[in-house]
Amino acid sequence: KAMCSGRLQTALLVAGYFVYLLVGAAVFQALERTAEKQEKMAAAQMKEAFLQNFTQLTVAEMEQFMKNLIEAIQNGVYPVGNESQFEESNWDFSNSFFFAGTVVSTIGYGTLHPKTAGGQIFCVFFALFGIPLNIVFLHHVGKMLSLLCKKLGKFLYEKGMRKKKIKFLTLLFFLATGILVFLCLPSVFFQITEGWSYSEGIYFAFITLSTIGFGDYVVGKQSGRKYFSYYRVLVAIWILFGLAWIALLFNL
């Protein structure tokens, strides 16, 4: 009964956690998408005005254009290419879910952030409750992985192996498996999808799972590349379970 109750609690926690992220993603999308469209329209008009009058601009007007361009890029608006690119939103559902995941995991790349007052206030409360929920989630997933660890140790003990050797081999097994599953294989995937080198993929994976999150490499942001739907959702899920693996290593 205790085991069934524990499994039910874990299942409810995992379901509640992902519902929390889904609701957060939907709210961020609703609050930020309209403001983003206005910013993109303003950037497109700025670019058009520049192209029409760039030979007649004064130094002061050129510097003002550069300031406006830098501000647009900092806000996630890249006025390059044709107008069709302005239809692609930084706040579609996939991006919004990815952003919600980076908030509760405290990675915070900084490349995508809420700019409306409503989005910023919601982000405060979303993080306030989401970060503790994320810690509890990682703890429970870590416990589930620890059970696998215990089963492996019990199996080796029954084979007549000494406890010290079992501890070392168990740690080595989960370390090697985690490096393969959460660092090596995803880096190949990023190499193919993002066009990065393999070393850049490893670098991104480590900086992300260690929650350093510089923001110099971020998935799904290469202009001109076609990404499949919910690509960033899958990356967000990889991050969450990768963080659980890191937590398990600390426990071991």
Side-chain angles (χ1 to χ4, degrees):
K1 285 184 178 179
M3 188 177 290
C4 289
S5 176
R7 285 178 180 174
L8 180 61
Q9 285 179 357
T10 301
L12 289 173
L13 174 66
V14 172
Y17 179 74
F18 279 98
V19 166
Y20 188 81
L21 290 180
L22 289 169
V23 170
V27 174
F28 281 121
Q29 185 180 19
L31 291 172
E32 295 296 324
R33 202 162 190 177
T34 302
E36 183 198 33
K37 281 184 180 178
Q38 292 172 352
E39 281 188 6
K40 286 189 173 184
M41 287 175 64
Q45 290 169 359
M46 178 187 71
K47 178 184 175 182
E48 187 178 347
F50 172 78
L51 292 174
Q52 288 176 353
N53 304 305
F54 73 94
T55 56
Q56 302 168 5
L57 293 178
T58 64
V59 173
E61 288 172 333
M62 189 64 187
E63 287 184 350
Q64 186 60 47
F65 169 77
M66 295 298 292
K67 286 179 183 177
N68 293 340
L69 181 62
I70 291 168
E71 186 179 345
I73 292 170
Q74 287 174 340
N75 289 333
V77 177
Y78 302 90
V80 294
N82 54 36
E83 291 184 5
S84 66
Q85 288 185 300
F86 288 91
E87 298 301 316
E88 297 174 5
S89 176
N90 289 321
W91 291 101
D92 60 18
F93 187 77
S94 182
N95 285 331
S96 299
F97 185 89
F98 182 78
F99 173 74
T102 59
V103 168
V104 298
S105 61
T106 70
I107 294 171
Y109 291 115
T111 53
L112 186 65
H113 52 274
K115 291 171 277 295
T116 64
Q120 290 169 349
I121 295 297
F122 176 73
C123 188
V124 170
F125 286 99
F126 181 76
L128 193 64
F129 295 100
I131 291 171
L133 177 61
N134 182 64
I135 293 169
V136 174
F137 170 77
L138 293 180
H139 175 69
H140 273 262
V141 174
K143 279 177 71 176
M144 288 170 63
L145 293 173
S146 293
L147 290 175
L148 293 174
C149 183
K150 285 179 181 177
K151 286 181 179 179
L152 176 62
K154 188 178 178 182
F155 172 77
L156 293 175
Y157 185 73
E158 288 173 352
K159 295 292 181 181
M161 198 173 286
R162 288 183 299 172
K163 285 187 177 180
K164 282 187 178 180
K165 196 172 183 181
I166 289 171
K167 285 182 180 179
F168 173 75
L169 288 176
T170 303
L171 178 59
L172 186 64
F173 173 76
F174 277 94
L175 180 63
T177 304
I179 288 172
L180 179 66
V181 173
F182 294 108
L183 291 177
C184 296
L185 292 179
S187 298
V188 175
F189 178 69
F190 295 136
Q191 185 180 15
I192 296 167
T193 310
E194 298 288 344
W196 297 337
S197 67
Y198 186 71
S199 61
E200 287 173 324
I202 288 280
Y203 169 77
F204 166 76
F206 176 78
I207 292 298
T208 295
L209 296 185
S210 61
T211 70
I212 295 170
F214 288 128
D216 50 349
Y217 288 86
V218 182
V219 295
K221 299 297 286 183
Q222 302 266 18
S223 59
R225 277 196 169 265
K226 292 291 181 182
Y227 298 100
F228 60 88
S229 299
Y230 302 109
Y231 165 55
R232 297 188 98 193
V233 171
L234 291 176
V235 175
I237 293 170
W238 161 74
I239 289 172
L240 297 173
F241 283 96
L243 292 175
W245 167 66
I246 295 285
L248 172 67
L249 285 183
F250 282 124
N251 287 334
L252 287 176

PDB file of all heavy atoms in Angstrom, residues 81-97:
ATOM      1  N   GLY A  81      15.921  39.786 -43.440  1.00  0.00           N
ATOM      2  CA  GLY A  81      15.127  38.972 -44.366  1.00  0.00           C
ATOM      3  C   GLY A  81      13.863  39.682 -44.793  1.00  0.00           C
ATOM      4  O   GLY A  81      13.682  40.887 -44.598  1.00  0.00           O
ATOM      5  N   ASN A  82      12.938  38.899 -45.365  1.00  0.00           N
ATOM      6  CA  ASN A  82      11.691  39.490 -45.850  1.00  0.00           C
ATOM      7  C   ASN A  82      10.646  39.545 -44.738  1.00  0.00           C
ATOM      8  O   ASN A  82      10.864  39.087 -43.625  1.00  0.00           O
ATOM      9  CB  ASN A  82      11.146  38.691 -47.053  1.00  0.00           C
ATOM     10  CG  ASN A  82      11.007  37.209 -46.712  1.00  0.00           C
ATOM     11  OD1 ASN A  82      10.662  36.843 -45.602  1.00  0.00           O
ATOM     12  ND2 ASN A  82      11.288  36.361 -47.700  1.00  0.00           N
ATOM     13  N   GLU A  83       9.471  40.073 -45.053  1.00  0.00           N
ATOM     14  CA  GLU A  83       8.440  40.305 -44.046  1.00  0.00           C
ATOM     15  C   GLU A  83       7.842  39.017 -43.496  1.00  0.00           C
ATOM     16  O   GLU A  83       7.252  39.012 -42.433  1.00  0.00           O
ATOM     17  CB  GLU A  83       7.319  41.179 -44.629  1.00  0.00           C
ATOM     18  CG  GLU A  83       7.771  42.621 -44.890  1.00  0.00           C
ATOM     19  CD  GLU A  83       6.638  43.497 -45.375  1.00  0.00           C
ATOM     20  OE1 GLU A  83       5.486  43.009 -45.410  1.00  0.00           O
ATOM     21  OE2 GLU A  83       6.894  44.655 -45.722  1.00  0.00           O
ATOM     22  N   SER A  84       7.990  37.900 -44.229  1.00  0.00           N
ATOM     23  CA  SER A  84       7.416  36.629 -43.762  1.00  0.00           C
ATOM     24  C   SER A  84       8.029  36.198 -42.440  1.00  0.00           C
ATOM     25  O   SER A  84       7.388  35.511 -41.648  1.00  0.00           O
ATOM     26  CB  SER A  84       7.613  35.536 -44.817  1.00  0.00           C
ATOM     27  OG  SER A  84       8.994  35.249 -44.982  1.00  0.00           O
ATOM     28  N   GLN A  85       9.307  36.618 -42.211  1.00  0.00           N
ATOM     29  CA  GLN A  85       9.967  36.234 -40.969  1.00  0.00           C
ATOM     30  C   GLN A  85       9.341  36.917 -39.754  1.00  0.00           C
ATOM     31  O   GLN A  85       9.466  36.453 -38.640  1.00  0.00           O
ATOM     32  CB  GLN A  85      11.466  36.569 -41.040  1.00  0.00           C
ATOM     33  CG  GLN A  85      12.227  35.633 -41.973  1.00  0.00           C
ATOM     34  CD  GLN A  85      13.712  35.910 -41.939  1.00  0.00           C
ATOM     35  OE1 GLN A  85      14.156  36.994 -42.253  1.00  0.00           O
ATOM     36  NE2 GLN A  85      14.486  34.930 -41.558  1.00  0.00           N
ATOM     37  N   PHE A  86       8.665  38.055 -39.987  1.00  0.00           N
ATOM     38  CA  PHE A  86       8.019  38.766 -38.894  1.00  0.00           C
ATOM     39  C   PHE A  86       6.761  38.043 -38.422  1.00  0.00           C
ATOM     40  O   PHE A  86       6.213  38.356 -37.385  1.00  0.00           O
ATOM     41  CB  PHE A  86       7.684  40.204 -39.312  1.00  0.00           C
ATOM     42  CG  PHE A  86       8.904  41.084 -39.413  1.00  0.00           C
ATOM     43  CD1 PHE A  86       9.589  41.220 -40.603  1.00  0.00           C
ATOM     44  CD2 PHE A  86       9.386  41.757 -38.301  1.00  0.00           C
ATOM     45  CE1 PHE A  86      10.719  42.014 -40.696  1.00  0.00           C
ATOM     46  CE2 PHE A  86      10.520  42.559 -38.377  1.00  0.00           C
ATOM     47  CZ  PHE A  86      11.184  42.689 -39.566  1.00  0.00           C
ATOM     48  N   GLU A  87       6.302  37.086 -39.217  1.00  0.00           N
ATOM     49  CA  GLU A  87       5.130  36.298 -38.807  1.00  0.00           C
ATOM     50  C   GLU A  87       5.512  35.225 -37.788  1.00  0.00           C
ATOM     51  O   GLU A  87       4.665  34.731 -37.047  1.00  0.00           O
ATOM     52  CB  GLU A  87       4.488  35.635 -40.034  1.00  0.00           C
ATOM     53  CG  GLU A  87       3.958  36.615 -41.068  1.00  0.00           C
ATOM     54  CD  GLU A  87       2.903  37.555 -40.502  1.00  0.00           C
ATOM     55  OE1 GLU A  87       2.024  37.063 -39.763  1.00  0.00           O
ATOM     56  OE2 GLU A  87       2.960  38.759 -40.789  1.00  0.00           O
ATOM     57  N   GLU A  88       6.790  34.848 -37.751  1.00  0.00           N
ATOM     58  CA  GLU A  88       7.238  33.853 -36.779  1.00  0.00           C
ATOM     59  C   GLU A  88       7.375  34.512 -35.409  1.00  0.00           C
ATOM     60  O   GLU A  88       8.036  35.540 -35.273  1.00  0.00           O
ATOM     61  CB  GLU A  88       8.586  33.262 -37.222  1.00  0.00           C
ATOM     62  CG  GLU A  88       8.518  32.522 -38.544  1.00  0.00           C
ATOM     63  CD  GLU A  88       9.889  32.082 -39.028  1.00  0.00           C
ATOM     64  OE1 GLU A  88      10.868  32.278 -38.270  1.00  0.00           O
ATOM     65  OE2 GLU A  88       9.980  31.565 -40.155  1.00  0.00           O
ATOM     66  N   SER A  89       6.760  33.912 -34.408  1.00  0.00           N
ATOM     67  CA  SER A  89       6.731  34.530 -33.081  1.00  0.00           C
ATOM     68  C   SER A  89       7.717  33.880 -32.123  1.00  0.00           C
ATOM     69  O   SER A  89       7.888  32.665 -32.116  1.00  0.00           O
ATOM     70  CB  SER A  89       5.315  34.426 -32.494  1.00  0.00           C
ATOM     71  OG  SER A  89       5.289  34.938 -31.169  1.00  0.00           O
ATOM     72  N   ASN A  90       8.367  34.723 -31.322  1.00  0.00           N
ATOM     73  CA  ASN A  90       9.196  34.218 -30.231  1.00  0.00           C
ATOM     74  C   ASN A  90       8.340  33.655 -29.099  1.00  0.00           C
ATOM     75  O   ASN A  90       8.857  32.977 -28.209  1.00  0.00           O
ATOM     76  CB  ASN A  90      10.080  35.340 -29.667  1.00  0.00           C
ATOM     77  CG  ASN A  90      11.179  35.746 -30.619  1.00  0.00           C
ATOM     78  OD1 ASN A  90      11.781  34.910 -31.284  1.00  0.00           O
ATOM     79  ND2 ASN A  90      11.431  37.045 -30.721  1.00  0.00           N
ATOM     80  N   TRP A  91       7.042  33.994 -29.141  1.00  0.00           N
ATOM     81  CA  TRP A  91       6.124  33.557 -28.082  1.00  0.00           C
ATOM     82  C   TRP A  91       5.077  32.589 -28.609  1.00  0.00           C
ATOM     83  O   TRP A  91       3.925  32.617 -28.173  1.00  0.00           O
ATOM     84  CB  TRP A  91       5.458  34.773 -27.421  1.00  0.00           C
ATOM     85  CG  TRP A  91       6.424  35.590 -26.624  1.00  0.00           C
ATOM     86  CD1 TRP A  91       7.018  36.757 -26.995  1.00  0.00           C
ATOM     87  CD2 TRP A  91       6.924  35.293 -25.313  1.00  0.00           C
ATOM     88  NE1 TRP A  91       7.862  37.200 -25.999  1.00  0.00           N
ATOM     89  CE2 TRP A  91       7.823  36.329 -24.960  1.00  0.00           C
ATOM     90  CE3 TRP A  91       6.705  34.253 -24.403  1.00  0.00           C
ATOM     91  CZ2 TRP A  91       8.496  36.351 -23.738  1.00  0.00           C
ATOM     92  CZ3 TRP A  91       7.373  34.270 -23.191  1.00  0.00           C
ATOM     93  CH2 TRP A  91       8.253  35.320 -22.865  1.00  0.00           C
ATOM     94  N   ASP A  92       5.464  31.725 -29.574  1.00  0.00           N
ATOM     95  CA  ASP A  92       4.564  30.620 -29.916  1.00  0.00           C
ATOM     96  C   ASP A  92       4.585  29.630 -28.743  1.00  0.00           C
ATOM     97  O   ASP A  92       5.345  29.802 -27.786  1.00  0.00           O
ATOM     98  CB  ASP A  92       4.948  29.957 -31.236  1.00  0.00           C
ATOM     99  CG  ASP A  92       6.361  29.373 -31.222  1.00  0.00           C
ATOM    100  OD1 ASP A  92       6.921  29.178 -30.121  1.00  0.00           O
ATOM    101  OD2 ASP A  92       6.911  29.118 -32.297  1.00  0.00           O
ATOM    102  N   PHE A  93       3.763  28.591 -28.814  1.00  0.00           N
ATOM    103  CA  PHE A  93       3.626  27.733 -27.632  1.00  0.00           C
ATOM    104  C   PHE A  93       4.925  27.022 -27.278  1.00  0.00           C
ATOM    105  O   PHE A  93       5.288  26.893 -26.106  1.00  0.00           O
ATOM    106  CB  PHE A  93       2.510  26.699 -27.823  1.00  0.00           C
ATOM    107  CG  PHE A  93       2.234  25.925 -26.567  1.00  0.00           C
ATOM    108  CD1 PHE A  93       1.504  26.484 -25.538  1.00  0.00           C
ATOM    109  CD2 PHE A  93       2.747  24.642 -26.388  1.00  0.00           C
ATOM    110  CE1 PHE A  93       1.280  25.790 -24.366  1.00  0.00           C
ATOM    111  CE2 PHE A  93       2.533  23.940 -25.217  1.00  0.00           C
ATOM    112  CZ  PHE A  93       1.791  24.519 -24.200  1.00  0.00           C
ATOM    113  N   SER A  94       5.655  26.566 -28.294  1.00  0.00           N
ATOM    114  CA  SER A  94       6.900  25.840 -28.051  1.00  0.00           C
ATOM    115  C   SER A  94       7.913  26.726 -27.319  1.00  0.00           C
ATOM    116  O   SER A  94       8.528  26.321 -26.330  1.00  0.00           O
ATOM    117  CB  SER A  94       7.482  25.351 -29.377  1.00  0.00           C
ATOM    118  OG  SER A  94       8.660  24.606 -29.165  1.00  0.00           O
ATOM    119  N   ASN A  95       8.080  27.970 -27.807  1.00  0.00           N
ATOM    120  CA  ASN A  95       9.004  28.902 -27.176  1.00  0.00           C
ATOM    121  C   ASN A  95       8.550  29.295 -25.773  1.00  0.00           C
ATOM    122  O   ASN A  95       9.372  29.453 -24.870  1.00  0.00           O
ATOM    123  CB  ASN A  95       9.161  30.164 -28.038  1.00  0.00           C
ATOM    124  CG  ASN A  95      10.009  29.922 -29.261  1.00  0.00           C
ATOM    125  OD1 ASN A  95      10.892  29.075 -29.265  1.00  0.00           O
ATOM    126  ND2 ASN A  95       9.747  30.653 -30.326  1.00  0.00           N
ATOM    127  N   SER A  96       7.238  29.470 -25.609  1.00  0.00           N
ATOM    128  CA  SER A  96       6.692  29.858 -24.304  1.00  0.00           C
ATOM    129  C   SER A  96       6.909  28.752 -23.274  1.00  0.00           C
ATOM    130  O   SER A  96       7.255  29.025 -22.119  1.00  0.00           O
ATOM    131  CB  SER A  96       5.197  30.174 -24.424  1.00  0.00           C
ATOM    132  OG  SER A  96       4.985  31.248 -25.311  1.00  0.00           O
ATOM    133  N   PHE A  97       6.716  27.488 -23.695  1.00  0.00           N
ATOM    134  CA  PHE A  97       6.945  26.357 -22.789  1.00  0.00           C
ATOM    135  C   PHE A  97       8.427  26.274 -22.418  1.00  0.00           C
ATOM    136  O   PHE A  97       8.784  26.037 -21.259  1.00  0.00           O
ATOM    137  CB  PHE A  97       6.491  25.056 -23.449  1.00  0.00           C
ATOM    138  CG  PHE A  97       6.577  23.847 -22.543  1.00  0.00           C
ATOM    139  CD1 PHE A  97       5.503  23.499 -21.728  1.00  0.00           C
ATOM    140  CD2 PHE A  97       7.719  23.061 -22.501  1.00  0.00           C
ATOM    141  CE1 PHE A  97       5.578  22.394 -20.889  1.00  0.00           C
ATOM    142  CE2 PHE A  97       7.808  21.964 -21.666  1.00  0.00           C
ATOM    143  CZ  PHE A  97       6.728  21.630 -20.856  1.00  0.00           C
TER     144      PHE A  97
END
